[in-house]
Amino acid sequence: MGKIKKIAVMTSGGDSPGMNAAIRSVVRTCAYYKTECIGVYRGYQGMIEGDFTTLTARNVNNIINKGGTILKSARSDEFRTPAGRKKAYEQLKEHNIDGLVVIGGDGSFTGGVIFNKEHNFPVIGIPGTIDNDIFGTSHTIGYDTALNTAVEAIDKIRDTASSHNRLFFVEVMGRDAGFIALNAGVGAGAEEILIPEENLGLERLLESLLKSRRSGKSSSIVVVAEGDKSGKNVFELAKYVEDNMPEYDVRVSVLGHMQRGGSPSCFDRVLASRLGVKAVEILIDNKTNLMVGLKNNIVITTDLEEAITGGHEINKELLRVSDIMST
Ligand code: F6P
């Protein structure tokens, strides 16, 4: 591999708070090491179309505090095809780009791994997703902010739930991962938490709600991850409980995409800044196919393929804590 003189950076997949802080870090680290930096708009789709812009240290002023991503994001179907990836490679070569930093989640990393295998092009991943479902890092960029957004929203729901003696089902994001549900559930004091990683069954849900009722609770909150495996969506769950426990006045609140927006927390800004520096440094050091991440507050690297396949295990101890807390 030759000397890395020009690096491209992009954001891909679902956006997450702190992606701008990560872009800023990559751009400024490039400037620090006198390496050119190119921003790719709209993820892999923009790469295929050559939608590029030169980024200097001054182009990323005043974005550390901004949600979303200045480079926009997309999920590209064309990049899933060999022809699409070939076009993307040709665009990078035409612009004399020597290496790529992908800020995204597992889908974006999968694209990066295949791209590297096919075209031997250096790729480094920075984990940016609110789902926190990436192996090789305790935290992904955006997770902390999303968690706090969810807790704040559930706190507000608690006020109205308590005023009306109601039972609320609150759906949080996480198609395949229960990190947000489990942690926001414990943090917001939910009675029950339903996550994709553990199907405790509908009977247990009824039992637990009955227990709460008998113990004198007049309102309750059940946090449900989007990808929960009970076999019912959040509206069906609410109906099921209403049918079986008519004494409950049940409502549903789906938090949705508001969890992906907003100004990043300090934790996410610091994490993004640290990971951006490391990503550029290892790329300049001619490393490829790695993801930068955080373990025990130390920045580490993990094989990019392993980051996708390794599986980030949820902390089941929190289910037990939640159980005890709902006494
Ligand atoms: O980025 C991850 C995520 O927010 C998941 O939690 C959610 O299931 C999905 O993206 C939603 O994707 P979209 O923005 O395409 O609706």
Tab-separated table of all heavy atoms in Angstrom, residues 53 106 175 232:
chain	number	residue	atom	x	y	z
A	53	THR	N	-17.169	16.473	-1.830
A	53	THR	CA	-16.820	17.864	-1.532
A	53	THR	C	-15.510	17.888	-0.746
A	53	THR	O	-15.257	16.989	0.061
A	53	THR	CB	-17.942	18.565	-0.717
A	53	THR	OG1	-17.598	19.926	-0.536
A	53	THR	CG2	-18.151	17.938	0.654
A	106	ASP	N	-23.875	-1.677	11.401
A	106	ASP	CA	-23.453	-2.965	10.833
A	106	ASP	C	-23.688	-3.084	9.320
A	106	ASP	O	-22.852	-3.641	8.610
A	106	ASP	CB	-24.078	-4.148	11.590
A	106	ASP	CG	-25.585	-4.056	11.707
A	106	ASP	OD1	-26.167	-3.042	11.261
A	106	ASP	OD2	-26.190	-5.000	12.239
A	175	ARG	N	-34.498	-2.380	16.248
A	175	ARG	CA	-35.129	-3.443	15.471
A	175	ARG	C	-34.633	-4.812	15.935
A	175	ARG	O	-35.407	-5.739	16.053
A	175	ARG	CB	-34.775	-3.236	13.997
A	175	ARG	CG	-35.875	-3.592	13.080
A	175	ARG	CD	-35.659	-3.185	11.651
A	175	ARG	NE	-34.411	-2.517	11.340
A	175	ARG	CZ	-34.292	-1.569	10.435
A	175	ARG	NH1	-35.346	-1.140	9.794
A	175	ARG	NH2	-33.124	-1.030	10.155
A	232	LYS	N	-46.201	-9.906	19.077
A	232	LYS	CA	-47.219	-8.860	18.911
A	232	LYS	C	-46.521	-7.513	18.820
A	232	LYS	O	-45.525	-7.286	19.523
A	232	LYS	CB	-48.161	-8.844	20.113
A	232	LYS	CG	-49.020	-10.098	20.257
A	232	LYS	CD	-50.089	-9.878	21.308
A	232	LYS	CE	-50.866	-11.150	21.606
A	232	LYS	NZ	-51.614	-11.677	20.464
